[in-house]
Amino acid sequence: MTIVRLSCAVNNYHWGKPGLSSKAAQFAATNPDVTIDPTQTYAELWMGTHPSGPSKVYGTDTKLSTLIEKDPTGALGASVEREFGPRLPFLFKVLSIETALSIQAHPDKALAERLHRERPAVYRDDNHKPEMSIALTQFTAMSGFRPLEQVAGFLDAYREFRALVPRSADEFGEIVSASSSAGEGEKKAALRRLFAELMGASSDDVAAQLDRLVKRISQPKGGHSSPVVDELVLRLSTEYPGDVGVFCVFMLNVLQLSPGEAFYMGPNDPHAYLFGDCIECMATSDNVVRAGLTPKMRDVDVLVGMLTYDFGTPHSKLLEPTAFAHGTSGRSVVYDPPIDEFAVACTRLLPDQEETVEPLQGPQIVIVVQGSGRLTSSGGADDSSFDVHPGCVYFVYPGTGYTLRAVADSKDSGGQGQQLVTYAAFCLA
């Protein structure tokens, strides 16, 4: 085999978008066995071998994991199998978010091993979980700590925020002031104390201060000069009333991404997805440490203790794509985070254009997110050819090249020729 079409699982978490407003639902609907309920939420489309949502060979009950187990070297490549064992080292997803996900971070490998050893019922594996997200629509998230001067400014401008951190607010302001000679280590320590006090505030105090804040900024001229922050506070407080996570907008960067923009979340890096649709790729793990904007278990002490407390601008969180060396026509880019488990290539083709992707020595999963065309394999033991359209997903074996060609009659809503757009997660250990 060279290329295998997959059918992929979609889930209905409460935070998903309803019906066909969800990209996850739109893509899942390409499977004739899936019926989309307009009253149901659709949150994630999973592409991979995770047992909670395993992909299957299209039209069959055969799991992708079964193909890999039968021939791990052939399905993964010798170097990937040697580095990660006989399993796919990444999980590829489409996320559609209507209601914010939790304030969270993922442990590094050493912490994951310790948490799994000490509390296996909560932390069910010993792997790290670095993640990368690429916007499919306008996408809002929080990631990493803001520049410290911004945090200090919010302490001055939002008295309700300051009221929750009375022990650390003044010291923090002094350490990050322009006249301070504090080094980066001292600044990070002050940031940690501030964040710890906020996340440890009593639920009654949080609810009272959030109620005061919402009432104040809802009034004409009642807010600060940051409409993005005020609007986000109002939105999040509606979704999670009385939740301390709402105050994290004053400490974490708010990212507003356009389609094709990406950011990377390394180990011990705080983040939260807030709204929109995205492609996500991650190392295969379930380890999540949560502390806000969630009805699930919160592990505040672990979260506070694990973070690096790196800080910077929103732009510093973005991952810029570069030219994809394996695309022969120059119409593909790659998002390549600083880890070994995965990278993601994106190909964009106008009608009648084509791109040939050279054979890689590791596995790939390809999803079509826009447009129509043809996918033809080359270089493998046999040739395969598929008509492609949004929601089609394929597993590409190592050593298999392929050519994508956009059809000329694919039109967008304005009657113009529509691009064929694909994303391909791969591993080259």
Side-chain angles (χ1 to χ4, degrees):
M1 288 183 284
T2 56
I3 298 179
V4 178
R5 185 175 175 184
L6 302 176
S7 58
C8 301
V10 64
N11 61 42
N12 306 108
Y13 298 149
H14 77 278
W15 47 261
K17 291 186 175 183
L20 288 173
S21 68
S22 161
K23 288 287 186 184
Q26 293 172 27
F27 297 157
T30 62
N31 185 341
D33 295 331
V34 174
T35 300
I36 301 303
D37 180 350
T39 67
Q40 180 65 272
T41 56
Y42 294 87
E44 296 182 334
L45 183 77
W46 287 27
M47 300 169 281
T49 57
H50 196 288
S52 297
S55 298
K56 298 178 180 179
V57 176
Y58 188 80
T60 78
D61 287 326
T62 302
K63 296 178 181 178
L64 174 60
S65 57
T66 300
L67 296 184
I68 294 173
E69 289 165 3
K70 286 182 177 179
D71 182 14
T73 303
L76 301 175
S79 61
V80 172
E81 183 188 13
R82 185 167 52 249
E83 179 70 20
F84 299 108
R87 63 183 182 88
L88 191 68
F90 60 81
L91 178 61
F92 204 25
K93 294 183 181 182
V94 174
L95 273 64
S96 295
I97 300 157
E98 183 77 16
T99 301
L101 278 68
S102 60
I103 305 292
Q104 60 182 254
H106 306 296
D108 59 27
K109 193 70 168 67
L111 179 58
E113 291 172 350
R114 179 172 67 81
L115 292 173
H116 177 62
R117 184 173 60 251
E118 295 174 353
R119 288 188 283 167
V122 176
Y123 300 102
R124 298 181 181 179
D125 61 76
D126 63 357
N127 199 21
H128 66 169
K129 192 184 178 185
E131 297 176 330
M132 177 176 66
S133 294
I134 307 168
L136 289 174
T137 60
Q138 293 299 125
F139 189 79
T140 304
M142 292 191 288
S143 183
F145 286 101
R146 292 176 177 273
L148 302 190
E149 295 79 7
Q150 287 187 13
V151 178
F154 287 139
L155 284 169
D156 291 338
Y158 291 88
R159 56 182 176 270
E160 299 85 359
F161 173 32
R162 192 181 193 91
L164 293 175
V165 287
R167 295 189 305 275
S168 53
D170 288 344
E171 176 204 33
F172 180 83
E174 292 171 1
I175 287 177
V176 304
S177 68
S179 60
S180 173
S181 60
E184 183 169 327
E186 192 174 356
K187 290 179 179 179
K188 286 186 176 182
L191 179 61
R192 174 173 174 159
R193 289 190 290 272
L194 186 74
F195 186 68
E197 186 175 5
L198 174 65
M199 302 312 289
S202 76
S203 58
D204 288 344
D205 287 346
V206 169
Q209 293 300 333
L210 184 55
D211 183 60
R212 292 187 184 103
L213 174 60
V214 168
K215 288 179 179 177
R216 182 169 66 83
I217 66 177
S218 297
Q219 300 300 316
K221 299 183 180 180
H224 183 243
S225 59
S226 177
V228 170
V229 168
D230 287 355
E231 290 170 11
L232 198 50
V233 166
L234 294 175
R235 180 185 183 119
L236 294 178
S237 65
T238 299
E239 296 174 355
Y240 295 97
D243 196 300
V244 68
V246 178
F247 285 93
C248 287
V249 302
F250 301 124
M251 297 198 69
L252 301 182
N253 284 306
V254 176
L255 309 184
Q256 295 181 304
L257 306 183
S258 297
E261 292 186 314
F263 71 108
Y264 169 68
M265 294 143 283
N268 308 322
D269 189 10
H271 59 275
Y273 297 157
L274 303 182
F275 182 78
D277 303 85
C278 71
I279 290 283
E280 183 184 60
C281 200
M282 65 186 69
T284 304
S285 171
D286 277 333
N287 285 323
V288 181
V289 183
R290 300 178 180 89
L293 303 182
T294 181
K296 296 182 179 180
M297 190 205 83
R298 304 179 185 214
D299 206 341
V300 174
D301 290 343
V302 170
L303 185 82
V304 168
M306 69 189 280
L307 300 181
T308 63
Y309 295 95
D310 292 334
F311 52 87
T313 65
H315 187 267
S316 69
K317 305 303 298 181
L318 301 184
L319 182 66
E320 299 292 341
T322 58
F324 186 42
H326 300 281
T328 62
S329 300
R331 296 188 173 99
S332 300
V333 296
V334 63
Y335 302 84
D336 191 8
I339 54 168
D340 295 329
E341 283 88 345
F342 63 83
V344 176
C346 177
T347 299
R348 296 179 181 272
L349 302 174
L350 294 172
D352 289 327
Q353 289 183 339
E354 66 177 38
E355 172 78 296
T356 295
V357 177
E358 298 171 334
L360 304 182
Q361 298 311 305
Q364 300 179 67
I365 292 181
V366 181
I367 181 171
V368 180
V369 301
Q370 180 179 303
S372 301
R374 191 82 181 160
L375 170 66
T376 304
S377 69
S378 61
D382 60 297
D383 289 338
S384 306
S385 189
F386 304 88
D387 291 322
V388 302
H389 49 84
C392 290
V393 181
Y394 303 91
F395 181 77
V396 181
Y397 276 71
T400 301
Y402 58 89
T403 297
L404 284 162
R405 183 174 181 83
V407 298
D409 59 352
S410 178
K411 303 292 184 180
D412 62 19
S413 59
Q416 302 298 312
Q418 188 179 49
Q419 284 186 322
L420 172 65
V421 182
T422 65
Y423 285 93
F426 63 92
C427 178
L428 297 176

